[in-house]
Amino acid sequence: MAGNIFGANAGAATDAHLHEKEKMDTNDPAVSISREPPSEISDGNRSIYLDSSITFENYVYWAKRSREIEKHISTDDVGFAHLSNKLFRKKKSDALVIMQGEIEEQDASVMKESSKPTNTMNGASTSDNWGITETEWEQAQRAARTATWGSIFYLISTDILGPTNVPWAISQMGFGPGAVLYTVFGAMACYSGLQLWRIFIGLDSTRFPMRNYGDMAFRIYGDWARIFVNVLQSFQFFLNVALLIVSNGQGLAQMAVGANGNGFLCFIAAEVIFMAIGFLLGQIRTLQRLSYLANIAVWLNVIVIIMTMVVVHEYPPNYSASLTSYGTQKGPVQTSGYWPASSTLNDKVNAMMNAVFAYGGATLFNELMAEMRRPYDFWKGFIIAEIFIYVCYLVSGMVVYSAQGQFTFNPAYQGIPNSAYRFQTLGNAISFITGVIAALLYGNIGIKVFYSAVFRDVFRFPELNSRTGKWVWIGLGKLRYASPLSVHALIIPLVPAYWALAWVVAAAIPQITNLTSFVGAACILQFSYTFPPMLLVGFNVQNDAILPDEINSTTGQVQRIDSGIKRWIRGYKKKFVWNTFDVIYSLLALSAAGLGIWASVTSMHTSFEEGKLTHFTCANPAG
């Protein structure tokens, strides 16, 4: 399942960035911690990064300045070879700083060349209110950006790759349509990823660094867009946790049955066990402590994929699991080169949404680019990773479907029958371990994003790093907050409430395939296909509307000549064909999302009506 552990794994970048920054030697010429601005200024979610008084033109000016400096920073011989030599000796957070020692020296020399006094944004002085010159600010920000395109290839591959749902999707589409749709979705995901890259290099700078998807939405469309994106992102992570509770509850119950079928563990009890583990380990607030395990989990998942492809050709399908979840009666294995006759419209749409889910990594591309030494090089690692992922998807999907046909199960490793119990258990055991890590990472990031977007911004709650915030995290803090009407006191049990609600959703909808389709349609499709073209059109309109005389090339001071509709039309006409294409592309993606939500919800309802599965059931959907 795409993003099983990987999206959140990559999302650890922000926390890793903060921890590495804290550990830097104050004698390092690239940074002076004692002169760093107050925490509210350096916090990537607040203050100058979200200051509405900073114009779009300011962001563009400083972004161009940063890209010019980065051209002189060499990253030769620090890509794949260097990464492979050190990857297994480093923590996950170190994957983002793996080249730091080798490029610090050259970076310092580059920054020396640019250390001439530089005016601030308004051209008034060479330092800000804290006595920090622009060059010193850039050095401090750039010191924590250490990832190269080689490490980005690794991070994107581990973020997206997870083809355990691909075989089932192809079983609903057939070999031909399955190959075509995975190719089309892969190509469009690549196009959308490059759109995000284009926007990032056009707006990110060491003066005004972008940290996440919400920052990008804010700089183009304003604060409402940032809040909407952050809430949807945290909602996606929440549903991912619920999905992991379902799949690992199935796996745990399947392991308890045993090869002879005598053992028994109620499915809902298995989900409670997984939830309890997540709740207890979820007290860890910093992702850095989970990073090493997350790195191992990547390769454990690769073992499961290879093992599944081999075993399904040696053993028959798991007929009981397919009957319980999909109502497929036992019979000879049948495959189809075209749309299978038994596949309904809902099945086809749900299969397509599973394909969307498989490519759902764009949610965290901004976090990855934010950690790069040269963000412009992102396209290199990204394109190679997309090709690698696409090949893995097609190979694993076709191999498993050719062996199991209409009995193909989701996730694929749970389609191994009880007669191959040792292999079935290997897949479940490894996936249970990686599932715990994944859920912890998704829960951690999901809580933080939602807390920042809603509790901090709307209700003015304290920072999670504060003493009160730490108690609120584990559910023991009595919090006083100011609403627009009055001051209230309450207890916000963040982690316990988060996991309890995720369990409720998982137990109420024990349907991995339909729930995956819903997440793909409602969330992942937006971040990977709807939002990127919409954001790029907004970027193009504002960027192309800038007139040569509106920005002082020396000071960066902005003086707009006009505004309103006239300015928007001028900007849109500059790239009229591409802008129009992207508008249509975005609307089509939004329409597909609506179709996917309808199909997944309808399928859930139909499945419950037919009595195959029930809410809060004790029967294991995996047989």
Side-chain angles (χ1 to χ4, degrees):
M1 191 177 297
N4 188 358
I5 68 164
F6 312 127
N9 187 10
T14 303
D15 274 17
H17 156 77
L18 294 175
H19 286 288
E20 292 299 327
K21 195 170 184 179
E22 291 169 359
K23 293 188 289 183
M24 285 181 184
D25 188 345
T26 54
N27 294 322
D28 190 333
V31 62
S32 175
I33 292 181
S34 62
R35 300 184 66 190
E36 192 176 16
S39 60
E40 69 267 22
I41 298 300
S42 58
D43 182 349
N45 289 322
R46 315 198 64 75
S47 198
I48 65 169
Y49 306 117
L50 300 176
D51 185 351
S52 57
S53 67
I54 301 172
T55 66
F56 180 88
E57 290 80 1
N58 292 142
Y59 292 127
V60 171
Y61 171 82
W62 292 105
K64 289 180 180 177
R65 187 180 188 281
S66 292
R67 301 295 88 81
E68 285 299 319
I69 293 176
E70 289 161 3
K71 287 180 181 178
H72 303 287
I73 301 177
S74 174
T75 56
D76 294 340
D77 301 321
V78 289
F80 289 112
H82 190 94
L83 186 65
S84 61
N85 289 336
K86 294 196 173 184
L87 187 59
F88 296 102
R89 302 202 306 267
K90 297 287 184 178
K91 294 181 179 180
K92 172 67 175 66
S93 57
D94 292 339
L96 295 172
V97 294
I98 208 163
M99 280 66 73
Q100 181 169 352
E102 287 76 0
I103 59 182
E104 255 177 6
E105 238 179 77
Q106 64 167 344
D107 187 47
S109 65
V110 170
M111 295 309 297
K112 273 184 183 179
E113 294 178 8
S114 62
S115 60
K116 299 174 183 179
T118 308
N119 288 331
T120 61
M121 183 176 62
N122 295 322
S125 66
T126 59
S127 62
D128 58 23
N129 294 336
W130 293 273
I132 300 177
T133 66
E134 179 57 38
T135 299
E136 289 175 326
W137 176 260
E138 285 190 348
Q139 289 172 342
Q141 292 294 326
R142 200 178 301 280
R145 294 187 172 203
T146 52
T148 64
W149 69 269
S151 57
I152 288 302
F153 163 80
Y154 168 78
L155 291 170
I156 291 177
S157 296
T158 55
D159 174 24
I160 300 177
L161 183 62
T164 56
N165 67 330
V166 176
W168 178 88
I170 291 181
S171 74
Q172 302 302 308
M173 296 184 286
F175 288 115
V180 170
L181 284 171
Y182 267 93
T183 301
V184 170
F185 279 122
M188 297 311 293
C190 186
Y191 176 65
S192 295
L194 292 176
Q195 289 179 314
L196 294 176
W197 165 74
R198 172 68 185 90
I199 299 170
F200 189 91
I201 62 173
L203 294 179
D204 167 77
S205 65
T206 49
R207 175 72 179 183
F208 303 116
M210 280 204 297
R211 304 299 189 196
N212 48 51
Y213 217 122
D215 286 356
M216 182 177 289
F218 168 77
R219 296 186 185 190
I220 296 175
Y221 290 113
D223 204 44
W224 68 269
R226 179 184 64 86
I227 293 175
F228 175 76
V229 164
N230 285 342
V231 170
L232 186 62
Q233 188 180 40
S234 62
F235 181 62
Q236 176 186 325
F237 291 152
F238 172 79
L239 291 180
N240 282 342
V241 172
L243 268 171
L244 288 166
I245 292 176
V246 176
S247 62
N248 287 282
Q250 287 183 179
L252 188 59
Q254 201 175 51
M255 286 189 286
V257 170
N260 55 14
N262 292 332
F264 181 80
L265 176 63
C266 183
F267 168 62
I268 195 171
E271 288 187 309
V272 170
I273 292 173
F274 188 85
M275 179 200 70
I277 293 173
F279 164 68
L280 293 175
L281 297 181
Q283 304 305 323
I284 300 173
R285 289 186 307 108
T286 58
L287 292 174
Q288 191 180 31
R289 299 180 184 180
L290 300 171
S291 57
Y292 184 67
L293 289 176
N295 205 15
I296 295 176
V298 172
W299 303 107
L300 291 177
N301 275 279
V302 172
I303 292 173
V304 173
I305 293 166
I306 296 174
M307 180 272 294
T308 302
M309 288 192 294
V310 173
V311 173
V312 294
H313 282 273
E314 297 296 327
Y315 292 89
N318 191 334
Y319 296 111
S320 62
S322 185
L323 177 64
T324 302
S325 290
Y326 311 130
T328 310
Q329 298 296 327
K330 186 175 181 179
V333 172
Q334 297 177 349
T335 57
S336 175
Y338 196 59
W339 298 101
S342 60
S343 181
T344 65
L345 176 61
N346 279 3
D347 292 333
K348 294 171 183 176
V349 174
N350 284 329
M352 288 189 286
M353 291 306 107
N354 271 260
V356 167
F357 191 93
Y359 287 109
T363 308
L364 291 163
F365 283 176
N366 292 287
E367 279 86 342
L368 297 183
M369 287 185 279
E371 299 295 334
M372 290 193 70
R373 199 57 135 182
R374 293 197 319 199
Y376 188 87
D377 290 344
F378 174 83
W379 69 271
K380 301 177 184 178
F382 171 64
I383 290 180
I384 297 175
E386 284 287 308
I387 295 172
F388 171 71
I389 291 163
Y390 166 73
V391 171
C392 288
Y393 280 170
L394 278 192
V395 170
S396 63
M398 298 298 181
V399 167
V400 175
Y401 174 54
S402 66
Q404 295 192 327
Q406 74 274 30
F407 303 104
T408 304
F409 196 73
N410 184 12
Y413 60 86
Q414 289 181 0
I416 298 174
N418 290 340
S419 58
Y421 178 73
R422 62 186 184 277
F423 296 112
Q424 182 192 83
T425 301
L426 175 64
N428 281 320
I430 291 177
S431 296
F432 189 86
I433 295 171
T434 59
V436 170
I437 299 169
L440 293 178
L441 292 168
Y442 276 132
N444 191 296
I445 295 177
I447 292 173
K448 288 177 179 176
V449 171
F450 186 78
Y451 186 90
S452 174
V454 178
F455 292 158
R456 286 274 285 146
D457 290 349
V458 178
F459 297 107
R460 303 294 184 263
F461 281 16
E463 291 184 6
L464 278 175
N465 288 329
S466 67
R467 182 177 179 181
T468 303
K470 292 176 182 178
W471 285 113
V472 169
W473 180 269
I474 62 176
L476 299 177
K478 188 175 183 181
L479 183 66
R480 298 184 66 83
Y481 72 95
S483 73
L485 299 178
S486 60
V487 176
H488 305 276
L490 75 166
I491 295 178
I492 303 292
L494 282 181
V495 175
Y498 191 89
W499 278 90
L501 288 173
W503 172 82
V504 169
V505 172
I509 313 174
Q511 304 174 24
I512 289 181
T513 299
N514 293 330
L515 195 54
T516 298
S517 299
F518 180 81
V519 177
C523 303
I524 292 178
L525 194 146
Q526 317 308 324
F527 288 108
S528 295
Y529 300 98
T530 304
F531 292 162
M534 188 184 300
L535 289 168
L536 184 60
V537 170
F539 172 84
N540 286 338
V541 168
Q542 296 183 71
N543 189 50
D544 292 337
I546 300 174
L547 298 173
D549 298 333
E550 290 185 333
I551 302 180
N552 187 310
S553 60
T554 303
T555 66
Q557 192 168 10
V558 177
Q559 184 63 50
R560 287 184 178 177
I561 296 176
D562 58 3
S563 60
I565 298 295
K566 178 183 177 181
R567 188 177 184 87
W568 299 347
I569 293 175
R570 181 172 71 245
Y572 188 90
K573 289 169 61 177
K574 190 78 174 288
K575 294 185 178 72
F576 180 81
V577 175
W578 276 115
N579 287 334
T580 303
F581 172 81
D582 285 336
V583 168
I584 296 173
Y585 171 33
S586 182
L587 292 176
L588 288 175
L590 193 61
S591 301
L595 182 63
I597 292 173
W598 167 80
S600 59
V601 172
T602 302
S603 296
M604 291 177 192
H605 178 70
T606 302
S607 182
F608 283 131
E609 270 195 340
E610 293 177 353
K612 299 173 187 175
L613 294 171
T614 59
H615 308 287
F616 301 93
T617 179
C618 191
N620 186 9

